[in-house]
Amino acid sequence: MKTFKLATALVASVALPSVAFATDLEVTHWWTSGGEAAAVAELAKAFDASGDKWVDGAIAGGGGTARPIMISRITGGDPMGATQFNHGQQALELVEAGLMLDLTDVAEAEGWKEKVFPQSLLDSCTVDGRIYCAPVNIHSPEWLWLSNKAYADAGLPVPANWNEFVESAPQLEAAGKIPLALGNQPWQSNLAFGAISIAVAGLDVWKEVNVEKNMDMAAGAEYAAVFQAVADARSLAAKSTVQDWNQATNLVITGEAGGQIMGDWAQGEFQVAGQVAGTDYTCLPGLGLNAYLSTGGDAFYFPKNKSADIEAAQKRLAALLVSPEAQVAFNLKKGSLPIRGDVDLAAANDCMKKGLELLAQGNLVPSGDMAWSPDVQKQNEDLLVEFWKTDMAPEAAHAQWVSNLKSGL
Ligand code: GAL
């Protein structure tokens, strides 16, 4: 018996590695909340299992903090292997500067043009007919997340839409709850404004302004009503003193706050907290007023590196990110929708099912990230932070907002 054990030990010690030598790839992203970390771990696990090595480069503080760091590393000659950006124009200048890897051969070999849905996601990766990113999810920012517990504690029905939410807010506040949870970062004010815009002004007016760039409409009565609604929301969030979006989500999870306007990445937090959609929390896409999906979300870009081994590993990762297996494992944890229609999300919960239904119906609008340049978005982010955090009159904010848009025409 002893001999047998020794022989086994010897064989084990000289066994060759089961895969080819792994190439380490540093991947930067800003997914650091509980739900986000659980989701990105699925991508890392899949890449490691494929024979390469995911070296995680998480950057805390959200996209507004992470993107400048990513960009300066790429322009400064210290590129990572892959990095997250949102769908849209955020990496356009890097692509135009020739700093990003052309993935067109991967896209063609993997049939991305036939598989990625909606096509707009691949369009926003395409520059001069060449493809430079691998889309990984569809996130729609415009959801209202409600704590069933907060309303039960206050003896109130859970609101069915934004208007009912605003109407019942005084009673909720009287019961000691914060009506609206909101984190104190610019992109969150901007996101809430975008959601209220479509909910109050309607989809057609939103498209007329953000797609057709109709500035008369932007200055008109519909958006005056939007700015008044945002001023109302401002008072409902006055007692929300948290910073990060997931801290605001946690106020809803614990029942301290009635609701939060946030993207469906909030799902990941409810899941990590063990909460069940429809039982513990209620989700209202389009704030329950205009059921649609704004196809925001994330894609990975691959900065050019000097090493052929790294480039080969970059292309393997790009193909893996769009694969059905990675799409299901990642998006179920992330709370986002997959970027291809041929995957089975049997495990999707009630909220994801609402999103999948809207996607299938084609109730889609292009994400705000794709409609205006990062510069115009930044001007309006700064304006909206001031508007949300001060007693600036809605009329003044509306006028400045129109002026900012005109600067981007
Ligand atoms: C968004 C991103 C999401 C989510 C969110 C909060 O820009 O698309 O994946 O993580 O930031 O960090």
Side-chain angles (χ1 to χ4, degrees), residues 142-144 160-163 195-196 199 261 284-290 292:
E142 305 87 354
W143 292 68
L144 180 59
N161 60 48
W162 176 253
N163 298 333
I196 292 172
I261 297 173
L284 299 176
L287 311 191
L289 293 177
N290 281 301
Y292 67 91

Side-chain angles (χ1 to χ4, degrees), residues 90-318:
Q90 290 171 0
L92 183 57
E93 288 179 11
L94 296 171
V95 170
E96 288 171 338
L99 295 171
M100 308 307 270
L101 183 62
D102 182 337
L103 300 171
T104 309
D105 55 343
V106 178
E108 286 169 354
E110 299 289 321
W112 288 2
K113 273 206 167 47
E114 294 72 42
K115 292 173 184 158
V116 172
F117 177 82
Q119 182 68 47
S120 58
L121 302 183
L122 210 52
D123 294 344
S124 74
C125 291
T126 305
V127 178
D128 299 336
R130 310 297 290 175
I131 291 171
Y132 290 91
C133 68
V136 292
N137 64 13
I138 298 170
H139 267 314
S140 43
E142 305 87 354
W143 292 68
L144 180 59
W145 306 93
L146 298 165
S147 162
N148 294 9
K149 178 181 184 315
Y151 288 90
D153 290 351
L156 293 167
V158 177
N161 60 48
W162 176 253
N163 298 333
E164 289 182 13
F165 173 78
V166 174
E167 278 154 30
S168 67
Q171 293 160 277
L172 196 69
E173 198 154 18
K177 307 293 183 182
I178 300 168
L180 184 65
L182 177 76
N184 194 15
Q185 287 162 348
W187 68 270
Q188 296 181 57
S189 318
N190 202 34
L191 180 145
F193 172 80
I196 292 172
S197 299
I198 299 178
V200 172
L203 209 47
D204 294 340
V205 169
W206 184 92
K207 281 183 180 175
E208 192 57 28
V209 170
N210 289 286
V211 179
E212 304 307 324
K213 307 289 198 285
N214 178 335
M215 291 300 104
D216 291 338
M217 181 74 85
E222 293 86 353
Y223 266 88
V226 167
F227 278 86
Q228 183 52 57
V230 175
D232 298 341
R234 175 170 67 184
S235 60
L236 300 184
K239 296 196 178 91
S240 177
T241 56
V242 294
Q243 283 298 319
D244 296 329
W245 68 270
N246 50 313
Q247 293 170 316
T249 310
N250 198 51
L251 291 174
V252 179
I253 288 171
T254 57
E256 291 171 69
Q260 178 191 20
I261 297 173
M262 188 40 66
D264 48 7
W265 49 87
Q267 285 252 58
E269 305 311 298
F270 288 104
Q271 287 185 75
V272 164
Q275 295 211 335
V276 176
T279 306
D280 302 306
Y281 65 99
T282 299
C283 55
L284 299 176
L287 311 191
L289 293 177
N290 281 301
Y292 67 91
L293 280 189
S294 162
T295 51
D298 307 291
F300 277 90
Y301 290 76
F302 302 81
K304 283 181 181 165
N305 272 258
K306 293 186 178 60
S307 142
D309 285 349
I310 288 188
E311 181 175 311
Q314 287 174 311
K315 292 189 172 181
R316 291 194 290 269
L317 177 56

